[in-house]
């Protein structure tokens, strides 16, 4: 029961079918399969509740196989967090490298908070469970600080680029503005998960765009033009837009297995 692809064909980005290429490192592929299973278990049970037995069952393998590739549970949890972070960073790299317009780039980063390489509830549930565990575990706490620092960079760089081109009229330093937007996204995501139909994903996106326009002085015409050209789903394949799916798109990491 490994993650499904977020792509229309249900195979690209999926860990269920097995390695498709002959030159794939089978050890690396098996480790990624177990990481995918661990991510699913963490989404459901939390970091503290992610037992190796449950991860083995999710992956459809024996407990002994899990322990062969990951000697300690803590190693598997750490690798899973690193891999989930890498999916986020791969998306941000694609947006940063392929989107020259600073307004669309910032809006893409905000859109990604709502629609990315996994369904909203799965992606945000994983990170919320991680933040919760990091509050109790010193090692995870240190890792969480690194995650936040790496998340802040793309927002800050996009804001600085927009100020330089004159598209943004910022009254605060870029690092403070990026912190405002990141904090709003975190809080709004929790509200979406808890509020049900009264505050959904699109309401969250509208809120993020409204705040960004207010604090950066983005004009209505500029906002509307950027939004009209923005993909609805922001993925590592930006600006290509994959079909919605119910699983995690692991294709950026799968592409590294033969390297």
């Amino acid at each position: 029961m490994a993650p499904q692809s977020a792509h229309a064909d249900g195979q690209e980005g999926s860990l269920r079918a097995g390695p498709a290429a002959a030159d794939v490192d089978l050890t690396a592929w098996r480790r990624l399969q177990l990481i995918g299973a661990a991510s699913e278990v963490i989404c459901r049970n939390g970091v503290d509740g992610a037992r190796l037995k449950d991860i083995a069952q999710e992956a459809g393998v024996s407990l002994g196989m899990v322990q062969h590739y990951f000697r300690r549970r803590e190693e598997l949890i750490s690798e899973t967090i690193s891999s989930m972070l890498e999916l986020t960073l791969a998306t941000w790299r694609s947006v940063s490298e392929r989107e020259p317009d600073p307004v669309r780039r910032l809006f893409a980063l905000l859109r990604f908070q709502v629609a990315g390489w996994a369904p909203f509830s799965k992606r945000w549930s994983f990170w919320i469970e991680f933040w919760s565990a990091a509050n109790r575990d010193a090692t995870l706490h240190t890792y969480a600080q690194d995650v936040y620092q790496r998340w802040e960079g793309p927002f800050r760089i996009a804001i600085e680029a927009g100020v330089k081109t004159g598209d943004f009229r910022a009254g605060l330093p870029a690092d403070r503005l990026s912190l405002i937007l990141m904090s709003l996204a975190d809080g709004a995501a929790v509200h979406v998960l808890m509020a049900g139909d009264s505050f959904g994903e699109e309401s969250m996106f509208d809120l993020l765009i409204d705040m960004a326009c207010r604090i950066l002085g983005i004009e209505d015409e500029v906002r509307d033009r950027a939004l009209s050209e923005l993909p609805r789903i922001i993925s590592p394949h930006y600006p290509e837009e994959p079909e919605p799916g119910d699983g995690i798109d692991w294709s950026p990491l799968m592409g590294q297995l033969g390297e």
Side-chain angles (χ1 to χ4, degrees):
M1 295 187 292
Q4 292 289 321
S5 169
H7 288 68
D9 61 13
Q11 293 299 317
E12 182 182 357
S14 172
L15 298 173
R16 175 176 293 183
D23 60 347
V24 165
D25 183 328
L26 294 179
T27 296
W29 182 86
R30 180 64 75 182
R31 286 173 65 89
L32 183 57
Q33 182 195 32
L34 297 174
I35 285 169
S39 71
E40 297 285 342
V41 173
I42 291 173
C43 288
R44 290 197 305 268
N45 302 341
V47 173
D48 294 340
R51 303 180 302 174
L52 291 183
K53 176 182 177 181
D54 297 327
I55 294 170
Q57 183 176 5
E58 178 70 28
V61 301
S62 68
L63 176 60
M65 179 173 287
V66 176
Q67 294 171 323
H68 172 74
Y69 288 99
F70 294 95
R71 300 289 295 274
R72 298 182 300 111
R73 173 186 174 277
E74 292 74 17
E75 179 188 359
L76 177 52
I77 297 300
S78 177
E79 288 287 335
T80 301
I81 295 168
S82 295
S83 297
M84 294 288 276
L85 175 60
E86 177 55 32
L87 291 180
T88 296
L89 296 176
T91 302
W92 285 344
R93 284 194 296 267
S94 294
V95 172
S96 298
E97 294 170 0
R98 301 172 186 174
E99 182 52 77
D101 182 80
V103 181
R104 283 198 304 271
R105 191 189 313 167
L106 179 63
F107 284 5
L109 294 175
L110 294 175
R111 182 68 193 173
F112 176 64
Q113 307 305 307
V114 173
W117 39 258
F120 182 95
S121 60
K122 182 169 293 186
R123 190 157 51 96
W124 277 103
S125 293
F126 179 91
W127 288 115
I128 289 172
E129 293 293 349
F130 168 60
W131 305 134
S132 177
N135 191 46
R136 300 185 297 273
D137 183 285
T139 300
L140 291 179
H141 183 78
T142 300
Y143 197 89
Q145 291 177 318
D146 177 62
V147 168
Y148 254 118
Q149 289 176 356
R150 299 177 74 178
W151 276 8
E152 185 268 343
F155 284 94
R156 176 178 46 77
I157 293 170
I159 291 171
E160 290 173 343
V163 171
K164 186 175 181 179
T165 60
D167 291 301
F168 301 157
R169 299 189 300 275
L172 292 171
D175 59 343
R176 298 290 293 176
L177 293 169
S178 62
L179 179 60
I180 290 171
L181 292 176
M182 290 173 58
S183 299
L184 180 62
D186 289 346
V190 173
H191 195 49
V192 170
L193 293 175
M194 298 294 102
D197 295 337
S198 63
F199 186 79
E201 298 163 25
E202 294 306 320
S203 296
M204 172 177 165
F205 182 60
D206 291 343
L207 178 65
L208 294 176
I209 293 298
D210 181 62
M211 177 59 73
C213 291
R214 288 176 182 272
I215 65 176
L216 293 171
I218 302 173
E219 298 178 355
D220 292 350
E221 181 180 352
V222 174
R223 175 202 63 201
D224 294 343
R225 182 171 63 250
L227 289 174
S228 70
E229 300 166 345
L230 194 69
R232 290 187 58 79
I233 298 177
I234 308 300
S235 79
H237 314 285
Y238 183 92
E240 297 179 16
E241 182 174 349
E243 293 292 329
D246 61 357
I248 297 172
D249 175 14
W250 292 97
S251 58
L253 301 187
M254 292 173 69
Q256 302 172 9
L257 297 183
E259 298 178 356

